[in-house]
């Protein structure tokens, strides 16, 4: 898994919200922005961001274009895009998995009755990196997953140099991943989903359409604090 776009608005733009909660705890905001699920019309832009982010570094893409379309068709509600002025600047793509550990099948399959969200990819457009966007979007995504009924955890596989980034977001190391790509090896990490919690007081920040929250009888399943180093 890994980390490092034009689209029409799918949900209403988010209104700016205070950066300090009533209790005094700072929280992420996305002023003049919106987040929404991705769709197949976003696939080419998603792949262009991904290709630039990964091919130059490792020579491999986590998802090929047909796989991007595959997951955005099967489970668009497990994706999230950050849009600024109509442009997708960062995104996450996930699917459901039904085993304790990832296997090669997890790279291409979506298991609708699974209780684990497999985060395939987190990527940020090259002109928006080093601004904390990857961290903020991951935080928003985990909050959104917490609102879904049956998911109990999120998992991902990453190269070792990204372990500190995901640790800061609350992920824990499971161990070496059974999956290899070419000569690349990965560490598997996980994040516990502690239940529905609170459909979040800040739910205005993650207004996904109601039909996406209910179209799957078994959907999936997180909170993070402040700014952290972006990927």
């Amino acid at each position: 898994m890994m980390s490092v776009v034009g689209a029409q608005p799918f949900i209403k733009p988010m209104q700016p919200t205070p950066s300090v909660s009533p209790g005094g705890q700072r929280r992420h905001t996305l002023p003049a922005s919106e987040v929404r699920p991705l769709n197949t019309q976003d696939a080419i832009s998603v792949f262009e961001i991904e290709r630039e982010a990964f091919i130059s570094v490792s020579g491999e893409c986590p998802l090929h274009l047909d796989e991007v379309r595959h997951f955005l068709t099967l489970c668009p509600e497990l994706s999230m895009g950050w849009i600024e002025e109509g442009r997708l600047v960062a995104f996450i793509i996930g699917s459901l998995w039904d085993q304790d550990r990832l296997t090669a099948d997890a790279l291409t399959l979506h298991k609708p009755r699974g209780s684990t969200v497999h985060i395939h990819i987190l990527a940020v457009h090259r002109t928006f990196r080093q601004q904390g966007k990857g961290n903020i979007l991951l935080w928003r995504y985990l909050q959104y997953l917490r609102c879904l009924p049956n998911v109990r955890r999120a998992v991902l596989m990453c190269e070792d140099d990204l372990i500190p980034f995901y640790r800061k977001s609350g992920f824990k190391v499971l161990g070496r991943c059974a999956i290899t790509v070419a000569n690349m090896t990965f560490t598997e990490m996980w994040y516990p989903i502690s239940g529905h919690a609170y459909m979040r007081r800040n739910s205005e920040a993650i207004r996904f359409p109601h039909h996406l929250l209910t179209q799957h009888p078994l959907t999936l399943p997180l909170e993070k604090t402040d700014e952290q180093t972006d990927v």
Side-chain angles (χ1 to χ4, degrees):
M1 152 155 186
M2 333 285 196
S3 319
V4 192
V5 184
Q8 296 301 313
F10 191 87
I11 56 176
K12 295 180 181 179
M14 292 183 297
Q15 299 300 315
T17 53
S19 60
V20 181
S21 66
Q25 181 180 6
R26 300 186 65 188
R27 62 174 181 261
H28 290 310
T29 58
L30 302 180
S33 303
E34 62 177 2
V35 294
R36 63 162 174 81
L38 299 171
N39 57 63
T40 54
Q41 294 180 347
D42 299 309
I44 292 177
S45 296
V46 164
F47 185 66
E48 288 175 351
I49 295 175
E50 178 192 8
R51 181 172 56 188
E52 187 280 327
F54 293 101
I55 290 291
S56 60
V57 175
S58 64
E60 298 285 343
C61 280
L63 297 175
H64 298 296
L65 180 57
D66 59 340
E67 294 168 335
V68 172
R69 290 194 176 109
H70 172 72
F71 287 118
L72 295 186
T73 299
L74 288 179
C75 47
E77 75 282 1
L78 296 183
S79 68
M80 180 177 283
W82 179 339
I83 288 80
E84 290 188 351
E85 299 181 353
R87 181 185 189 184
L88 184 63
V89 300
F91 67 86
I92 294 174
I93 294 178
S95 66
L96 283 176
W97 184 239
D98 60 357
Q99 298 180 32
D100 291 339
R101 299 293 297 267
L102 296 175
T103 70
D105 285 344
L107 299 180
T108 57
L109 297 182
H110 167 61
K111 298 285 192 173
R113 295 186 178 277
S115 61
T116 293
V117 179
H118 174 201
I119 300 176
H120 293 269
I121 182 170
L122 159 63
V124 180
H125 191 282
R126 63 181 180 276
T127 59
F128 296 90
R129 292 178 196 148
Q130 305 305 319
Q131 299 176 22
K133 283 182 165 58
N135 170 61
I136 294 171
L137 186 64
L138 179 59
W139 183 86
R140 293 288 185 191
Y141 186 73
L142 297 178
Q143 292 297 323
Y144 165 65
L145 295 185
R146 189 173 286 199
C147 298
L148 301 175
N150 295 301
V151 170
R152 297 296 172 259
R153 61 182 194 142
V155 299
L156 57 84
M157 47 186 273
C158 67
E159 296 179 75
D160 290 351
D161 60 349
L162 288 173
I163 291 175
F165 170 79
Y166 290 109
R167 280 189 188 276
K168 288 178 181 178
S169 293
F171 282 80
K172 303 174 184 179
V173 172
L174 268 174
R176 300 307 294 177
C177 186
I179 302 168
T180 59
V181 178
N183 61 346
M184 299 170 60
T185 61
F186 305 95
T187 294
E188 193 169 335
M189 304 186 73
W190 74 293
Y191 188 109
I193 307 294
S194 56
H196 308 274
Y198 32 9
M199 278 300 259
R200 253 193 103 63
R201 278 172 304 212
N202 304 346
S203 58
E204 75 278 358
I206 44 177
R207 293 175 184 157
F208 277 31
H210 180 71
H211 74 277
L212 285 180
L213 292 175
T214 58
Q215 66 184 28
H216 292 295
L218 293 179
T219 338
L220 27 150
L222 296 175
E223 180 166 2
K224 196 57 214 131
T225 50
D226 239 354
E227 298 90 344
Q228 297 165 349
T229 303
D230 195 11
V231 294

